Amino acid sequence: IYDYIFKYKFLETENGRLKEALSQLQQDAREVDSLVRENERLRKLLELKAAHEDYELVDGYIIARSSGDWLSTLTINRGASSGIEKGMCAITENGEVVGLVTEVGSNYAVVTTVMDSSVGISATIADTGYSGIVSGGYAKGYPDLLLMEYLQVVPAGSTVYPRNLVIGYIVDAGYDENRTAKFAYLKPAVDVDSLEQIFILTDYEAE
């Protein structure tokens, strides 16, 4: 009986040790995956900077998220102390629009994303030149898409964000009920829920 109890205790201890080792290996694997993703983002960012040497960017990691039927915000770990100001544009390393900075603290900033119904961004369709306002599509019953309305023709680019950033890709288009304005539904270029790190465009040369 003593020998049995001894072996049981030994196996129990060994099992605990193996579980700890496995947990550490899994943690190491997650850290490696995170470093690989970060390295890929930085490589893409270098390509973006090479194509747009005038871009001044501040990176920020997402530390909080808020989403609902009408709103979508991200909080990052950089703020006024890093030169971020309200109204600046947030993008990905691929030059995709994430949203606009709407709140700034000393060491944090809140970005209201393109999915939020309150955000309206002037944009141009690349292959036709049509311009309009892009906003979150929830109000029209399309919570996962963006809505672009052509009712008001506006210049592409502004003092907030430069030209040639990507907002989304058209999946459907048509006219409103009175056939007085065209509209298009866009699939967002960026998956807001999957973002880990974004970049705030603090300065650039306006065209």
Side-chain angles (χ1 to χ4, degrees):
I1 294 175
Y2 174 80
D3 186 55
Y4 173 80
I5 294 175
F6 177 80
K7 288 181 179 179
Y8 176 80
K9 288 293 185 181
F10 172 79
L11 291 174
E12 187 177 41
T13 301
E14 185 68 10
N15 185 53
R17 188 185 67 79
L18 289 174
K19 284 183 177 180
E20 289 179 4
L22 177 60
S23 177
Q24 184 60 49
L25 287 173
Q26 291 173 334
Q27 177 63 29
D28 291 345
R30 286 193 292 269
E31 290 177 359
V32 169
D33 287 343
S34 178
L35 289 173
V36 168
R37 291 194 302 273
E38 182 176 23
N39 184 63
E40 178 64 15
R41 286 195 298 269
L42 293 177
R43 186 182 68 80
K44 291 286 187 180
L45 184 65
L46 287 175
E47 294 177 0
L48 180 67
K49 288 282 289 180
H52 303 279
E53 295 181 356
D54 58 312
Y55 283 13
E56 296 292 336
L57 297 163
V58 173
D59 71 298
Y61 286 93
I62 294 167
I63 57 175
R65 302 172 188 269
S66 179
S67 62
D69 291 340
W70 297 87
L71 58 87
S72 173
T73 64
L74 304 171
T75 302
I76 61 173
N77 64 341
R78 295 292 188 95
S81 61
S82 299
I84 296 175
E85 298 177 1
K86 187 176 178 180
M88 288 179 170
C89 181
I91 65 176
T92 69
E93 68 278 5
N94 296 310
E96 302 155 332
V97 177
V98 176
L100 299 175
V101 176
T102 53
E103 182 182 338
V104 180
S106 177
N107 297 305
Y108 76 91
V110 177
V111 174
T112 300
T113 80
V114 292
M115 302 305 298
D116 194 290
S117 298
S118 68
V119 173
I121 301 175
S122 62
T124 298
I125 298 175
D127 59 352
T128 66
Y130 287 126
S131 296
I133 300 294
V134 175
S135 59
Y138 181 84
K140 299 291 185 178
Y142 292 83
D144 297 323
L145 297 177
L146 302 173
L147 173 66
M148 179 174 184
E149 296 180 292
Y150 303 13
L151 180 61
Q152 179 183 5
V153 177
V154 296
S158 71
T159 56
V160 175
Y161 56 92
R163 298 167 64 91
N164 300 320
L165 296 176
V166 180
I167 299 177
Y169 304 94
I170 294 176
V171 295
D172 193 14
Y175 287 88
D176 66 3
E177 294 178 356
N178 299 320
R179 299 191 65 81
T180 57
K182 297 181 72 174
F183 70 87
Y185 287 110
L186 285 67
K187 179 181 179 181
V190 60
D191 179 3
V192 172
D193 293 333
S194 69
L195 293 173
E196 297 176 294
Q197 182 182 25
I198 59 178
F199 304 88
I200 307 301
L201 188 57
T202 59
D203 195 19
Y204 72 96
E205 294 180 7
E207 297 182 13

